[in-house]
């Protein structure tokens, strides 16, 4: 043995290239084994793996070491109309594959048994009714939907659907929750609902294009009947009412609840009361809900409820039901690489995530990001995982300022918000998460004064830099977007080069809040800004106002003053 080792040593001294080649092959083989053990047999999430990161700007846009350290699973290419999942590396041997199938079958059976026992415990609030086929183009449950690729559970889905008054809750792909009042598909085999919930391995949350559906029991009937229908206002009867509001029902004993329930059952998002007639439909160019009338014109008492108003034959009282308007819910990546990079630029806390939500609904295409935020990806922003230069997204979120970063983009939507509101929103996000709140101790401690001292100057320099170095910059004020969403969104979509469909924009108005609206219930009971802070921030407001007017743009909105 010793002689053999000596001969090998002498041989490799004469042939060092061969030695290093063998060493490299050995290391490569070890790396493949390591990757295989880390990635095999994991379901993949619809999307696309990123290319190499450019490494420009702070925050490491996405890849490099971060990809390996976090162990992101690569996304499989998704065929039209369905998902595909599977390991990166597949065995070519039949025997290991058969063993894998046996283990998978056993795992599916055990999960089904655990799920069944869990379902029996939940009979008081929901009843499992089966596995159903789903289709991305024609959803089985057409109400509200939300995704969470980390923490989805059966109870969370049921609770969210029940809270909004829906009759059914369905889970799909381990992480997607759909609500509805009617099941519009056929049954599938129970074995096809075989994916564990991301937030609880003991339960099943549907499968690939398969829904595990629960009926929310009568305990939630009151929520459905008296649930959170949204009052939209009093409107003049449209000219072509039978086209604008195609479903109708004469109700001699009319009440708000009866009309809302009727339109909900018919799967319409709008319920319009016209005296003793209930009308249902969608917001369209024939009935856009933009010109509200004095509510006294609709103040005719309901025949079935004396303390409610039911409108008249000429003036309709309109409510938004819990039926989700699906005309603007489809989203996908761009079919071909974008020729230009468009920035959605804002100071942190200025509503960038909300603007992304609106743009995705209005255009039907995903938005990207200069950074990577796992919580946003888990909530359905699929473009979050793409490298910002991939060209697959309609625009790119960025908080960057500085000449080099700004000149990387061909055009930009610059979103500006009142600095007093933006600073508080970003402070809440920093210490409480996207929809959480900073603790009282943070506001009263040293964190808040330090934060204002560091971030307030950035609010001004961010806007000034984009005005100075940006190419083709469209300025949108957050306050204007809230006040007149339709018009401002038309401007934004126009810059993106998309032909704005008015009916789709009207659909967006009904779905405008999204998943990242911070509750207004927890407001500070005091003004956190000291006189010194106000004096400093007011100076920055005047500077930005002057810079906007110098470029023949409207200055900052009036509600920035006085402070």
């Amino acid at each position: 043995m010793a002689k053999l080792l000596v001969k090998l040593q002498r041989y490799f001294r004469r042939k060092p290239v061969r030695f290093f080649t063998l060493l490299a092959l050995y290391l490569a083989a070890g790396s493949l084994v390591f990757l295989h053990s880390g990635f095999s047999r994991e379901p993949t999430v619809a999307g696309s793996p990123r290319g190499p990161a450019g490494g420009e700007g702070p925050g490491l846009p996405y890849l490099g070491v971060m990809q390996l350290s976090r162990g992101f699973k690569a996304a499989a290419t998704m065929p039209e109309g369905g998902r595909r999942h599977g390991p990166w590396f597949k065995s070519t041997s039949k025997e290991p594959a058969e063993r894998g199938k046996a283990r998978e079958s056993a795992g599916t059976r055990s999960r089904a048994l655990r799920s069944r026992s869990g379902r029996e415990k939940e009979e008081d609030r929901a009843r499992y009714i089966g596995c159903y086929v789903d289709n991305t183009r024609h959803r089985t449950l057409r109400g509200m939907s939300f995704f969470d690729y980390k923490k989805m559970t059966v109870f969370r889905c049921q609770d969210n659907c029940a809270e909004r008054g829906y009759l059914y809750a369905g889970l799909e792909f381990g992480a997607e929750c759909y609500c509805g009042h009617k099941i519009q598909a056929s049954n599938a085999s129970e074995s096809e609902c075989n994916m564990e919930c991301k937030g609880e391995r003991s339960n099943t949350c549907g499968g690939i294009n398969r829904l595990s559906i629960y009926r929310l029991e009568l305990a939630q009937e009151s929520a459905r009947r008296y649930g959170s229908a949204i009052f939209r206002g009093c409107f003049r009867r449209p000219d072509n009412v039978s086209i604008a509001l195609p479903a109708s029902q004469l109700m001699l004993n009319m009440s708000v609840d009866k009309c809302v329930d009727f339109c909900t059952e018919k799967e319409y998002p709008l319920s319009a009361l016209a005296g003793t007639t209930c009308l249902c439909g969608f917001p369209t160019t024939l009935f856009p809900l933009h010109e509200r009338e004095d509510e006294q014109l609709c103040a005719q008492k309901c025949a079935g409820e004396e303390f409610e108003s039911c409108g008249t034959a000429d003036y309709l009282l309109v409510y938004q039901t819990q039926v989700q308007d699906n005309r603007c819910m489809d989203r996908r990546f761009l079919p071909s690489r974008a020729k230009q990079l468009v920035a959605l630029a804002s100071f942190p806390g200025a509503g960038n995530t909300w603007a992304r939500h609106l743009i995705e609904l209005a255009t039907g295409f995903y938005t990207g990001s200069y950074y990577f935020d796992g919580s946003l990806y888990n909530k359905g922003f699929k473009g979050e995982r793409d490298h910002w230069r991939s060209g697959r997204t309609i625009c790119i979120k960025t908080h960057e300022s500085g000449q080099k970063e700004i000149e990387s983009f061909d055009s930009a939507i610059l979103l500006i918000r009142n600095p007093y509101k933006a600073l508080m929103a970003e402070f809440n996000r920093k210490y409480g998460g996207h929809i959480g709140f900073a603790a009282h101790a943070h506001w009263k401690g040293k964190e808040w004064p330090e934060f204002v001292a560091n971030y307030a100057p950035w609010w001004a320099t961010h806007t000034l830099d984009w005005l100075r170095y940006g190419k083709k910059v469209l300025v949108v004020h957050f306050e204007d977007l809230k006040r007149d969403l339709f018009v401002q969104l038309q401007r934004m979509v126009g810059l993106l080069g998309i032909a704005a469909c008015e009916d789709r924009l009207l659909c967006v108005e009904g779905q405008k809040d999204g998943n990242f609206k911070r509750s207004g219930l927890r407001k500070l009971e005091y003004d956190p800004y000291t006189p010194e802070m106000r004096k400093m921030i007011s100076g920055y407001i005047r500077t930005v106002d002057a810079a906007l007017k110098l470029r023949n743009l409207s200055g900052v909105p009036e509600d920035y003053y006085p402070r």
Side-chain angles (χ1 to χ4, degrees), residues 225-453:
R225 183 172 177 76
Y226 305 104
S228 51
I230 301 167
F231 176 67
R232 297 296 297 269
C234 178
F235 298 90
R236 185 185 294 273
R237 180 189 181 95
D239 292 333
N240 297 315
V241 67
S242 60
I243 300 174
L245 300 166
S248 64
Q249 178 75 41
L250 181 66
M251 295 182 178
L252 299 179
N253 201 23
M254 171 72 86
S255 71
V256 173
D257 290 330
K258 287 177 181 175
C259 188
V260 168
D261 283 352
F262 171 74
C263 294
T264 298
E265 181 67 25
K266 294 291 184 181
E267 299 281 342
Y268 285 105
L270 291 185
S271 171
L273 291 82
T276 55
T277 304
C278 176
L279 304 166
C280 314
F282 294 92
T284 64
T285 51
L286 295 174
F287 195 47
L289 304 184
H290 286 164
E291 298 179 8
R292 292 179 66 158
E293 303 287 349
D294 186 337
E295 287 180 28
Q296 289 301 314
L297 296 172
C298 291
Q300 177 176 299
K301 288 184 180 180
C302 294
E305 181 56 68
E306 62 175 318
F307 298 109
E308 293 179 350
S309 297
C310 279
T312 70
D314 295 321
Y315 292 93
L316 313 181
L317 208 58
V318 179
Y319 288 83
Q320 184 170 319
T321 73
Q322 290 298 298
V323 174
Q324 183 166 281
D325 189 344
N326 286 318
R327 295 175 300 165
C328 58
M329 298 307 292
D330 59 301
R331 285 169 288 175
R332 61 192 187 281
F333 289 103
L334 291 172
S336 58
R337 186 182 176 88
K339 295 178 181 178
Q340 292 192 328
L341 286 176
V342 182
L344 178 61
S346 73
F347 174 77
N352 200 303
T353 300
W354 180 54
R356 289 178 67 185
H357 164 74
L358 296 176
I359 289 170
E360 289 195 0
L361 295 188
T363 64
F365 296 112
Y366 289 119
T367 58
S369 176
Y370 194 84
Y371 320 98
F372 173 76
D373 188 330
S375 66
L376 292 180
Y377 178 80
N378 291 331
K379 296 293 184 181
F381 286 93
K382 301 288 184 67
E384 191 75 16
R385 228 178 129 179
D386 264 38
H387 184 264
W388 67 280
R389 285 186 178 276
S390 71
R392 298 206 310 153
T393 53
I394 193 70
C395 64
I396 312 297
K397 163 190 172 177
T398 179
H399 299 310
E400 299 301 306
S401 53
Q403 183 174 358
K404 181 183 176 183
E405 288 76 14
I406 292 171
E407 289 180 346
S408 301
F409 294 94
D410 301 296
S411 57
I413 297 168
L414 177 59
L415 190 63
I416 304 174
R417 187 181 187 183
N418 184 327
Y420 293 100
K421 301 286 182 65
L423 288 168
M424 292 177 70
E426 176 60 11
F427 189 73
N428 275 320
R429 188 205 64 79
K430 186 174 181 181
Y431 289 99
H434 279 285
I435 55 175
F437 293 86
H440 185 74
H442 291 134
W443 292 102
K444 288 294 188 181
K446 64 179 182 179
E447 292 92 343
W448 172 242
E450 289 178 356
F451 178 86
V452 172

Side-chain angles (χ1 to χ4, degrees), residues 42-222:
E42 286 287 345
T44 59
V45 178
S48 172
R50 294 187 178 243
E56 297 175 20
L60 286 175
Y62 178 76
L63 271 182
V65 177
M66 192 161 64
Q67 183 184 19
L68 293 179
S69 64
R70 293 189 183 184
F72 289 116
K73 311 299 184 286
T77 304
M78 189 170 72
E80 188 72 35
R83 296 189 188 86
R84 217 167 45 199
H85 78 282
W88 273 15
F89 305 100
K90 296 185 179 179
S91 170
T92 54
S93 166
K94 292 182 180 178
E95 187 181 347
E98 288 170 0
R99 283 204 301 269
K101 285 181 181 176
R103 281 197 300 270
E104 187 176 326
S105 176
T108 301
R109 283 196 299 271
S110 64
R111 283 199 302 274
L113 289 171
R114 288 197 301 270
S115 297
R116 195 176 297 122
S117 64
R119 289 168 193 154
E120 288 167 0
K121 293 176 184 177
E122 294 165 359
E123 284 293 323
D124 56 337
R125 69 166 178 269
R127 178 169 56 88
Y128 178 72
I129 60 172
C131 182
Y132 285 79
V133 175
D134 195 23
N135 187 305
T136 55
R137 295 183 183 278
H138 303 286
R139 288 292 179 190
T140 301
L141 296 175
R142 299 181 183 177
M144 184 209 74
S145 63
F146 73 97
F147 311 142
D148 193 332
Y149 291 99
K150 262 191 171 181
K151 299 177 181 178
M152 181 62 74
T153 65
V154 172
F155 176 77
R156 186 180 174 199
C157 180
Q158 292 173 353
D159 196 46
N160 274 273
C161 293
E163 183 183 330
R164 289 161 176 80
Y166 289 104
L167 291 177
Y168 298 100
L171 296 107
E172 181 174 338
F173 202 56
E176 301 174 4
C177 176
Y178 297 89
C179 312
H181 291 287
K182 187 186 296 183
I183 299 173
Q184 305 188 59
S186 57
N187 283 90
S189 167
E190 285 298 317
S191 62
E192 294 177 34
C193 285
N194 55 11
M195 296 186 74
E196 295 177 341
C197 302
K198 296 293 184 182
E200 55 176 350
R201 299 292 180 182
S202 60
N203 260 334
T204 300
C205 283
I208 301 169
N209 291 330
R210 295 294 181 268
L211 278 168
S212 297
I213 296 184
Y214 294 80
R215 179 181 171 86
L216 306 175
E217 293 302 302
L218 292 177
Q220 300 299 335
E221 183 65 16
S222 60

